[in-house]
Amino acid sequence: MKVRYEFANGEISEIEVDDNLGELLVDFDRQEYNNDHKETRRHISLDGMEYEGEAFLSPENTEEQVLKREDMARLLRAMEALTPAQRELVRRVYFENEKISEIAREEGVSHVAIHDRLKRIYQKIKNNF
C-alpha cells in the first residue's frame, strides 16, 4: 500500500508500506481529521469576537470585580455574627427599604430604640469585617 504525505512546505512524498501499517496510518489520519473537525465546531476564532474593530470585552475591571467579591464574602461572614433578630432588622431596613419609624411603631418601641439597635449592629459588623 502506498501512503501519501504532504509536508507543511507543500512537498509531497509517497511511501510504500505494509497493508496493516498502511491501514493503521489511514485510520490515524481519519481520527486526526475528525478530532480537528470536532474542535472547530465547538470553538470559535477570537477574530470572530470582534465587531467593528472592538473586541467584546467586559466593561468591568476584573481586579475590581475580584475585590468586590472578597468584600462581599467578608460582609457575609460578618453578618453571620449577628443574631437572627439583628439580621431581620438589617433585611427590613436595607433590603426591603422599610422606614425605621414604621418598624418602631410595629414593635411598640421608639424610633431611637431602633436607631440604637442599628448602631450596635454597625459596630458588630465593623468589628467582624
Side-chain angles (χ1 to χ4, degrees):
M1 169 180 227
K2 284 190 177 184
V3 178
R4 181 180 168 163
Y5 283 103
E6 185 172 341
F7 296 96
N9 63 4
E11 182 181 334
I12 297 174
S13 178
E14 287 189 6
I15 302 171
E16 185 73 35
V17 295
D18 183 285
D19 286 344
N20 291 334
L21 181 59
E23 289 175 17
L24 184 63
L25 290 172
V26 168
D27 189 47
F28 284 153
D29 286 342
R30 186 177 304 116
Q31 286 178 6
E32 182 180 14
Y33 172 82
N34 288 340
N35 285 338
D36 289 345
H37 185 68
K38 180 171 47 175
E39 289 300 315
T40 57
R41 286 185 291 169
R42 290 191 182 141
H43 305 290
I44 60 170
S45 168
L46 291 178
D47 294 335
M49 295 299 291
E50 290 195 23
Y51 177 73
E52 295 183 5
E54 294 186 27
F56 287 93
L57 298 176
S58 172
E60 299 270 337
N61 182 343
T62 304
E63 181 180 359
E64 187 177 307
Q65 287 178 347
V66 169
L67 293 175
K68 283 181 183 179
R69 285 186 188 139
E70 288 175 357
D71 286 346
M72 185 59 74
R74 287 184 11 221
L75 179 59
L76 289 174
R77 284 193 301 273
M79 291 285 289
E80 289 173 357
L82 300 177
T83 66
Q86 290 173 325
R87 279 184 273 194
E88 177 66 14
L89 183 58
V90 168
R91 183 187 63 77
R92 290 176 72 184
V93 171
Y94 292 103
F95 296 99
E96 294 183 9
N97 296 320
E98 288 186 44
K99 294 183 179 179
I100 293 174
S101 58
E102 291 175 7
I103 296 170
R105 190 175 330 108
E106 203 176 283
E107 293 187 11
V109 296
S110 69
H111 177 274
V112 174
I114 300 296
H115 185 69
D116 287 344
R117 287 184 199 170
L118 287 172
K119 281 175 54 175
R120 282 192 298 276
I121 291 169
Y122 298 149
Q123 191 59 46
K124 200 170 191 179
I125 289 173
K126 186 177 177 182
N127 291 341
N128 289 302
F129 195 68

